[in-house]
Every structure is written in C-alpha cells, then in structure tokens.
Amino acid sequence: MLTTLLLGWMAGCDHQGQLFVPASNPDYPFLQDLGEFRVIPEEDAGTANFTLENHPGADDEGRSGVHYGGLGAPEDPAYYGGATFTFEGTGGDVCVVLDVESVYWIQAWSPQADTSSFLYEDNYRDDGDIDLSVGLTAYYTGSPGVSMGDFALPYTDEAGVSHEIEFNECFQAGYLGDGVHAGRAAVEYCTIDTFGRAGVSLTAVLDTFSLPIDDSVAHFAVGVFAGDCTAITSSERSLNECFFSQEFGPSQEGTGNVASDCDDPEQEWSYACLESKYCATTRKLNAYCEEHFDDDDTPCVDNGVHEPQDDTEENEGGDR
Amino acid sequence: MISFLFLACSNPETIPEGDILGKLVVPKAAATRTVVSATDADGDGNLEYSTAEKTDVRLLGPIYVGAYSAIDTISFAYPHPSMGPVISADSRGDTFPYGGITAGRLDFACYEAVACKVTTGRFTDYDDIIDHFKNNLGRPIFDQYGVEVTSGEAFQQWCFEYFDATADYEMSFIGADNLTFEEDGDNYVAEFTLNHTLRVEGMAVWGFMDAPELRSDVPDTNGNFTTCASNGGREVDEYVTEFHEGRSYYDVLNRPGSYITYGDWVSDGEAVVHFDDDLNQTEEVVVNLNIPFEAEE
C-alpha cells in the first residue's frame, strides 16, 4: 500500500507541463502590426507556388505583397498574441491566404499514393497554428500592435435586448459547415466580397492559437490576392501547404529555409529538401521513398509492403 | 387556468428566462391539398396516379414557433420576425429569437424512402404512414430492396430491427396519444410551451408551417420539406446502403424567410406576450397561422 502511494506521488510530480508553455523570444514579437498590404493583382501572382526567394514584394507605396514572418510568445503567457494588417477593398472579390509552419503531413498513410503508400515520420514539435479573421477595419475592436481584438460587436434589437454579432467575414468551411479554422498549421484562406467597398479599409487578424514547442516561434506567410480563392489556383498551384513554400523559418534543422542542392546527400533529407520534394509537381515524395525506403536517414517509414533490402538499382522505383 | 396559477407562484427571483405558454391555431385550409394517389391495378409495377382535394391533418408539416423582439411587415410578402443587420449579401439578417419550439418535428421513420418526409405528431401507427405516402403523396414506400412496404407489421419489424427497439412507444413518429392537434371547428389547435425563453414585455410570438411538397405532375419529390437538410442527421453506411437520415436546418428560427416557400402557412404576427412586474405571463398567447404564402417559387 505504501509503495503504491509513493509510486503514485512520484508519478504525480513527474509532469509539470512546463514543456508546453512556450518561452518568449526577443527576436520575434508576440504582437505585431504588419502595416498595410496591397492586393496582389493576377498579373503579379503568376501560376507557381510562392517561395521565400520568389514572391510578390511591396509596391511603390510601401504596401507589402506576400509577407514572410514569425510570431513568438509573450513573457506573460496570459496575453493573446498575433498580428494584424490592413488592405483596401477593390470592389470585387479578394482572397486572403495564410500558411503557418510547418505541417505537411501527419504520421498516417501517405495521401500521395503511388504504387505503395508510406508513413512519413512527423515532428509534432514544429507545428504552430495561427487563425485568420478578416473584417472591416471600422469594426475591429483591437489596437494593432498593442492588443488583439475581434469583430464581435453588440446589436440591440427592437425590444431593447442586446445581442453580439460577429462581423468577421472570413468564412471557412469545415466538415460541419462554415465558421471553422484549420487546425495545426494547415493553410487558411477565404474569399472576401468587397463589392461596394472599393477603397474601404479591411483588417486581417492573425491570432496565434499555438506555438511550436521546439522554438516557440510560429513562422508564417500571408498575402492578399485579387479574385476569389479559386481564381488564384492553377494546374501548378493549389491552396494547400505548398501555396507558400519555405515559410518555416531559419531555425528548422538542416540548411534553413532554402537548400542549395537537394541531390547532395548531406542536404537530401533536410527540411527544405523535404518540402521541395513534397511540393514538387512532377516527382512526389513517394517516388523518393520508393528509392530510399530502407535508408536510415529517410523520414519514410515502410508500411510493410516492402521487405527491407538494399537500394539496388533494380529496386529503385523512380518516376511513375 | 391552473397552469397560470402555477406560473404566478413560479418566479420569486424574477429570473429573466422562463416558459411561455401558448396555443397554436391552424386553419383546416392549411391541411387541404390536392393529393395524389398511386395505384398499380394490373400489378405490372407501373403506377397510375389520380388526384382529389382532401383535408387531412397528416398534410401539416412541422410548425416552427419562436419568440422575437418584434415583427417586420415590410421586408417580406408576409409578416416576418424583425432581423438584425444583413452582413452578407448571400444571407438574411439573424432574427435573434428568444426561444422556440416545434409543433411536430422532422423525424426519421426507418426507411430511406421516407427520410426528410415524416413529421411527428401526425400518424397514429405504421399503416397510417403507409396510407399517407401512397394515397396523399402518390409515393408508395419501398424498402432498401425495392419491395413495396404494404403492411404495418412489416414496417414495425423493420423499425425494431433498424433502431434495435422492442416497442412502438420507442417510435416517436407514431402513437395515437402523441398526436399534436385537436379539431376545433374550422381549425386544428395545439397547446405549446416555449421552454426557457427570455421573457421580454411585448415580445412577439410568430411561427410558420413548412408544408410538404405536393405536386401531381412530379410526384417523385412529394413529401419533401424545405426545412430538412437531406445531407444531415445520422449517416447510415452499411453494405450497399448509404444515406443520411436528415434533420432540420439549424437556423430555421434565426432565418425563417430562407425556408418559407410556396404553400407554407405563416402566422399573422399579432401574437404578443405580456408579463407582470415579476415576469409572470399574464395570459396565454394565441398564434394564428392564417396567412398562406402563395407567391410563385
């Protein structure tokens, strides 16, 4: 009995949960006003995925194009963190897209089925989550760069009863309908109809929902594009994890945001190379796994279809 | 009367929420439709249809009743609860109801063929449902094997199998003791309670009846209700059977104007609730569903 009590007491003291409380980082603000963004016209958007090296920049008036940045933790974890920026309505549809580092897959059956499926090892410690809302600047209740707010305002009905109305216009559809946010670093986007509101200021709100526990910084990329969210996709570009590439920040293991040579064995499975393989339009990550599924350093976990064997030429999968 | 004596003693702390008692009056005209009867006299599997005008309480669909701040008589072709701001061009304003209830609700009656087409409080037994679908809607019920359901016993046994049930009282869509309405001259009447409703002096109680679709030219869609989400409710996926049981949309009381269509009946908007200083309801509220909405679809 005494042993049981002691063991129970020891187990109770073993876990304080401090691991999951992110530490502040002086290099990354927990609150940030990103200023004014421009609505990127179709001719500037191109058709390929955006990268850290190749994305629409600021215009002559200093309004940002695609923005790559990072949000950290406050010293006092009781405060909400996040970022805001403004842009002007065009009079038509605009699409706001936000992608947070860095989930590309969860450890499950690969969605990129080739001749066989692989499990990809996943580092759950490197995923952050930031939620996107957009509404008229006049309705935003926060103070940009000072405190986060929302678009909820009181409405008094004809009998004098007050109700809260949500003026967030960024409706994202989930399995059970509208009004959801993507989870765990998955890309968020929504179409905003600015009909009759050309030149009117809108505010986008990026609420920090969770920070990666490996570095306490959620890197992200965000941009505003002309047209609805189906118009900015192409045969080379979808609204998925690859829409903005290299948004995972310099702190990731390996060579940082950009790999110089993914054929170099030293860099082959770095984070940057993994992303480029995952996002490649012609040669998917599964093809690499087919070739290297029994290498020690690959993130590809065999699903049991293959017998472990050496990477001999006859076993290489190659392009399929 | 006795219930009002109870109410008078039931709110010593003046809690703002409470039950609102009322009576629903639906003219028999709302249940008078040109019904479609389907027969297969020569047994060749080809149905022949005939029509006749008929008054039948089973033709009353679910009736949605809510308490609202006021009535808007301008924005719609019929009295409609006052709305808050219209935020999206694709959506009406929210009416912010204080509470609500249905007089008969959408229910799933065991067969995919009747999903989204059965209202509680309208049927005494299984044979009553079979008769309604065949002789009012012109849509005999067929089971998952394509065999017509012609006996209440077969219907009952499948329901027991489907719901793992053992008694008829577990089937909320039937029961002679569960019927919603009583006849009262030219009307059907029913008592209702708006449970746990915010009590505001002078608030309006308003409602509408979602009438079943009933056409003699296209009987395939007969019995459908616009307030039913056919892709909602429990999802059934067993072997080759795959369908949803259906359910009411979640915002019927919040945006009723989105669901009122040709053939539905709407209340006149004159029902108002009064309270004394302790928020006790002073008199029963009577909601008359006496306005047929006949605008073309």
Side-chain angles (χ1 to χ4, degrees), chain A residues 7-317:
Chain A
L7 284 172
W9 174 75
M10 289 170 69
C13 295
D14 186 45
H15 181 72
Q16 296 179 339
Q18 196 66 33
L19 169 70
F20 298 103
V21 179
S24 64
N25 183 331
D27 296 331
Y28 291 91
F30 85 97
L31 269 170
Q32 189 175 22
D33 177 23
L34 301 174
E36 186 168 359
F37 278 42
R38 67 180 175 117
V39 178
I40 299 166
E42 191 176 342
E43 56 268 25
D44 287 4
T47 55
N49 290 325
F50 301 102
T51 66
L52 188 60
E53 301 164 309
N54 185 18
H55 63 265
D59 63 10
D60 295 340
E61 299 175 37
R63 298 179 300 184
S64 300
V66 170
H67 174 86
Y68 280 76
L71 287 166
E75 289 193 19
D76 183 344
Y79 287 95
Y80 285 110
T84 51
F85 65 84
T86 59
F87 63 93
E88 289 186 353
T90 60
D93 287 338
V94 300
C95 181
V96 185
V97 188
L98 165 71
D99 190 14
V100 188
E101 67 165 319
S102 65
V103 61
Y104 301 109
W105 54 79
I106 54 175
Q107 185 153 341
W109 294 109
S110 161
Q112 299 180 345
D114 198 342
T115 52
S116 62
S117 296
F118 289 89
L119 297 171
Y120 300 139
E121 286 181 344
D122 181 44
N123 178 5
Y124 71 93
R125 294 167 180 252
D126 64 357
D127 300 327
D129 194 11
I130 299 176
D131 291 338
L132 174 67
S133 306
V134 181
L136 283 172
T137 299
Y139 291 158
Y140 182 56
T141 62
S143 299
V146 178
S147 66
M148 297 305 293
D150 55 31
F151 297 99
L153 293 172
Y155 155 73
T156 303
D157 69 21
E158 293 185 40
V161 177
S162 184
H163 308 269
E164 187 176 274
I165 295 185
E166 176 61 55
F167 287 97
N168 168 35
E169 300 178 42
C170 183
F171 299 114
Q172 300 182 75
Y175 184 72
L176 295 175
D178 282 347
V180 300
H181 288 287
R184 200 165 178 257
V187 65
E188 296 206 5
Y189 58 90
C190 56
T191 299
I192 307 294
D193 179 4
T194 68
F195 175 76
R197 297 185 290 180
V200 175
S201 177
L202 292 104
T203 291
V205 181
L206 282 52
D207 284 304
T208 306
F209 185 81
S210 68
L211 295 169
I213 52 179
D214 62 347
D215 62 359
S216 301
V217 177
H219 294 93
F220 64 92
V222 64
V224 185
F225 301 88
D228 67 31
C229 287
T230 57
I232 61 172
T233 60
S234 69
S235 58
E236 304 168 57
R237 182 170 70 196
S238 300
L239 277 163
N240 57 21
E241 289 293 317
C242 302
F243 188 84
F244 294 125
S245 299
Q246 301 163 341
E247 85 285 12
F248 40 79
S251 62
Q252 285 286 351
E253 63 191 44
T255 56
N257 293 71
V258 182
S260 57
D261 181 6
C262 287
D263 291 328
D264 175 0
E266 291 297 313
Q267 299 184 45
E268 183 180 18
W269 297 112
S270 69
Y271 206 89
C273 289
L274 262 181
E275 183 187 53
S276 67
K277 288 168 183 166
Y278 182 81
C279 294
T281 54
T282 56
R283 183 176 170 82
K284 293 288 191 180
L285 186 53
N286 253 8
Y288 290 91
C289 288
E290 281 281 338
E291 296 170 10
H292 301 286
F293 64 87
D294 56 353
D295 285 0
D296 290 338
D297 59 346
T298 73
C300 311
V301 181
D302 187 18
N303 65 0
V305 172
H306 300 82
E307 292 296 326
Q309 51 194 311
D310 293 330
D311 284 337
T312 54
E313 189 173 335
E314 58 268 27
N315 288 327
E316 289 185 355

Side-chain angles (χ1 to χ4, degrees), chain B residues 24 26 28 57 179-185 187-191:
Chain B
L24 197 58
V26 183
K28 285 185 175 175
V57 72
L179 298 179
T180 304
F181 292 101
E182 294 178 355
E183 287 191 53
D184 182 11
N187 300 307
Y188 293 112
V189 297
E191 305 289 330

Side-chain angles (χ1 to χ4, degrees), chain B residues 214-283:
Chain B
L214 186 47
R215 298 165 61 162
S216 55
D217 55 339
V218 191
D220 287 352
T221 58
N222 282 356
N224 289 350
F225 292 109
T226 51
T227 56
C228 189
S230 58
N231 60 351
R234 192 168 77 97
E235 184 177 2
V236 178
D237 189 356
E238 295 176 0
Y239 303 107
V240 294
T241 304
E242 187 176 347
F243 66 95
H244 286 80
E245 292 183 350
R247 59 160 169 77
S248 286
Y249 284 102
Y250 294 138
D251 62 346
V252 173
L253 286 174
N254 294 74
R255 293 179 174 82
S258 300
Y259 300 99
I260 294 173
T261 54
Y262 177 79
D264 294 347
W265 285 65
V266 183
S267 78
D268 55 21
E270 295 178 4
V272 174
V273 193
H274 295 289
F275 303 95
D276 63 19
D277 291 343
D278 292 329
L279 285 180
N280 295 306
Q281 186 180 349
T282 55
E283 59 187 32

Side-chain angles (χ1 to χ4, degrees), chain B:
Chain B
M1 181 62 186
I2 291 173
S3 49
F4 278 92
L5 288 174
F6 270 108
L7 273 176
C9 305
S10 63
N11 196 23
E13 298 173 355
T14 322
I15 296 170
E17 292 84 11
D19 294 346
I20 309 296
L21 304 181
K23 184 168 78 173
L24 197 58
V25 180
V26 183
K28 285 185 175 175
T32 303
R33 306 282 298 271
T34 300
V35 300
V36 183
S37 182
T39 54
D40 182 13
D42 50 10
D44 63 355
N46 294 318
L47 297 174
E48 293 151 11
Y49 300 101
S50 60
T51 60
E53 186 165 292
K54 183 177 178 181
T55 300
D56 190 332
V57 72
R58 295 176 298 182
L59 294 168
L60 295 180
I63 296 174
Y64 300 86
V65 182
Y68 298 96
S69 63
I71 297 298
D72 175 356
T73 57
I74 297 174
S75 304
F76 295 83
Y78 46 83
H80 182 279
S82 294
M83 298 182 294
V86 176
I87 298 172
S88 164
D90 303 327
S91 178
R92 302 174 196 279
D94 196 321
T95 59
F96 297 105
Y98 300 151
I101 196 71
T102 59
R105 61 172 173 79
L106 295 170
D107 201 4
F108 181 69
C110 311
Y111 291 106
E112 179 185 0
V114 299
C116 266
K117 297 178 180 65
V118 171
T119 307
T120 61
R122 307 291 187 265
F123 304 99
T124 54
D125 53 31
Y126 304 100
D127 287 311
D128 211 13
I129 300 177
I130 293 171
D131 177 70
H132 172 67
F133 276 81
K134 185 166 188 174
N135 297 316
N136 282 348
L137 304 178
R139 296 192 58 178
I141 300 171
F142 290 90
D143 66 14
Q144 62 271 36
Y145 307 110
V147 178
E148 183 180 349
V149 180
T150 55
S151 80
E153 289 77 10
F155 200 141
Q156 179 199 49
Q157 288 308 305
W158 172 244
C159 284
F160 286 2
E161 168 83 12
Y162 184 86
F163 286 118
D164 291 325
T166 56
D168 288 342
Y169 69 78
E170 297 181 77
M171 304 298 141
S172 50
F173 48 84
I174 56 169
D177 298 331
N178 297 332
L179 298 179
T180 304
F181 292 101
E182 294 178 355
E183 287 191 53
D184 182 11
D186 291 334
N187 300 307
Y188 293 112
V189 297
E191 305 289 330
F192 69 83
T193 303
L194 300 176
N195 296 301
H196 199 70
T197 297
L198 183 67
R199 291 177 284 195
V200 181
E201 170 58 23
M203 69 184 188
V205 178
W206 175 93
F208 77 99
M209 186 271 286
D210 182 11
E213 187 168 334
L214 186 47
R215 298 165 61 162
S216 55
D217 55 339
V218 191
D220 287 352
T221 58
N222 282 356
N224 289 350
F225 292 109
T226 51
T227 56
C228 189
S230 58
N231 60 351
R234 192 168 77 97
E235 184 177 2
V236 178
D237 189 356
E238 295 176 0
Y239 303 107
V240 294
T241 304
E242 187 176 347
F243 66 95
H244 286 80
E245 292 183 350
R247 59 160 169 77
S248 286
Y249 284 102
Y250 294 138
D251 62 346
V252 173
L253 286 174
N254 294 74
R255 293 179 174 82
S258 300
Y259 300 99
I260 294 173
T261 54
Y262 177 79
D264 294 347
W265 285 65
V266 183
S267 78
D268 55 21
E270 295 178 4
V272 174
V273 193
H274 295 289
F275 303 95
D276 63 19
D277 291 343
D278 292 329
L279 285 180
N280 295 306
Q281 186 180 349
T282 55
E283 59 187 32
E284 185 181 53
V285 62
V286 178
V287 178
N288 285 296
L289 264 67
N290 51 8
I291 298 179
F293 180 56
E294 295 180 341
E296 289 300 325
E297 292 173 275

